[in-house]
Amino acid sequence: MHTSSANADPAELAKFAALAQSWWDPKGPSKPLHDLNPLRLQYVARAAGLPGKAVLDVGCGGGILSESMARAGARVLGIDLSQAVLDVAELHALDAKVAVEYRLVPVEHLAQERPAGFDLVTCMEMLEHVPDPAAGVAALAALVKPGGDVIVSTLNRNPLAFAVAIVGAEYIARVLPRGTHEYLKFIRPSELARWGRAAGLELKDLTGITYNPLTRSFRLSPNTDVNYLAHFSRAAA
């Protein structure tokens, strides 16, 4: 699928492909994704609604969010650039009897193929792993219909995020494999908002995700210092 020209880092793709077989293990390396998924689903459902919507999940990985949105009534296409994780996603959806379509295709190529083709586009924890995140945001904007929604999650770039997401999560608590994140690729909300405006998107909401180490649980929060969700809308025609 012409992945060689895609906005992707081969080392990042290899990193996530190595986790493919354990993607659906709620106690494995992808445990944070399983723990975060209910919050992400709650945010998406509240911000944009899901029943009957045509939804694109960009960087879908093994399909944890894609399946949840499909169960909530959406018609979901999940795309990724790792065939290994897509194979896992397809097998799990088949076993779970959940109707989700998956494709190996760069988001920029799909934007040319299906412009304004979706009511809602989600992109969770992907932009901080690509060489050109601004181009990624532009592709997300091109894919959503006028009046539709784009929802992104990523990591803020500041000393606290470095301490929590890298030192704490990867080296101390070891809830993520070492090397999962690179601090300089983290994205400040102001940068994300600027890229959205340049692509014709209006930022409607920023909501943080905080972690309580005592209860080992996540919650939505006004605090966007580390993990955060951003809800954009595209102006109606």
Side-chain angles (χ1 to χ4, degrees):
M1 283 290 181
H2 312 290
T3 56
S4 61
S5 62
N7 179 17
D9 181 341
E12 293 282 356
L13 294 177
K15 186 188 302 180
F16 291 103
L19 301 175
Q21 296 307 312
S22 61
W23 206 279
W24 280 92
D25 179 357
K27 296 182 180 179
S30 297
K31 183 180 186 301
L33 296 179
H34 290 272
D35 293 343
L36 280 168
N37 192 58
L39 285 183
R40 289 176 175 171
L41 182 66
Q42 173 190 336
Y43 184 86
V44 170
R46 184 182 66 196
L50 286 168
K53 294 285 183 75
V55 178
L56 174 67
D57 188 16
V58 178
C60 64
I64 295 172
L65 179 62
S66 297
E67 278 198 21
S68 296
M69 293 192 292
R71 289 180 187 276
R75 291 175 284 112
V76 181
L77 169 63
I79 66 171
D80 206 283
L81 291 180
S82 169
Q83 187 62 57
V85 297
L86 288 175
D87 288 344
V88 168
E90 289 176 342
L91 283 172
H92 194 276
L94 186 64
D95 288 343
K97 296 181 173 58
V98 180
V100 184
E101 180 186 358
Y102 292 106
R103 283 186 62 188
L104 178 74
V105 61
V107 63
E108 293 84 3
H109 294 189
L110 189 64
Q112 295 177 357
E113 178 187 325
R114 295 180 63 177
F118 299 89
D119 301 303
L120 166 65
V121 178
T122 61
C123 181
M124 304 297 185
E125 304 294 327
M126 190 198 85
L127 290 175
E128 71 273 18
H129 295 285
V130 302
D132 188 351
V137 172
L140 302 179
L143 281 155
V144 73
K145 296 177 180 178
D149 301 278
V150 174
I151 296 178
V152 171
S153 73
T154 190
L155 284 151
N156 204 338
R157 189 173 72 255
N158 57 47
L160 179 61
F162 176 80
V164 173
I166 295 181
V167 177
E170 296 183 20
Y171 287 84
I172 298 176
R174 298 183 182 179
V175 295
L176 291 172
R178 290 188 182 184
T180 297
H181 294 113
E182 295 180 39
Y183 173 69
L184 292 179
K185 291 184 176 180
F186 288 3
I187 299 167
R188 293 185 178 124
S190 59
E191 295 168 333
L192 186 61
R194 184 173 71 249
W195 301 334
R197 285 194 302 271
L201 298 174
E202 178 187 357
L203 181 62
K204 307 292 286 188
D205 177 72
L206 282 174
T207 294
I209 297 175
T210 57
Y211 180 71
N212 185 328
L214 297 178
T215 60
R216 297 185 179 182
S217 62
F218 294 93
R219 67 180 179 87
L220 298 177
S221 164
N223 186 339
T224 60
D225 286 344
V226 184
N227 295 78
Y228 65 95
L229 289 146
H231 172 208
F232 294 91
S233 66
R234 181 176 173 184

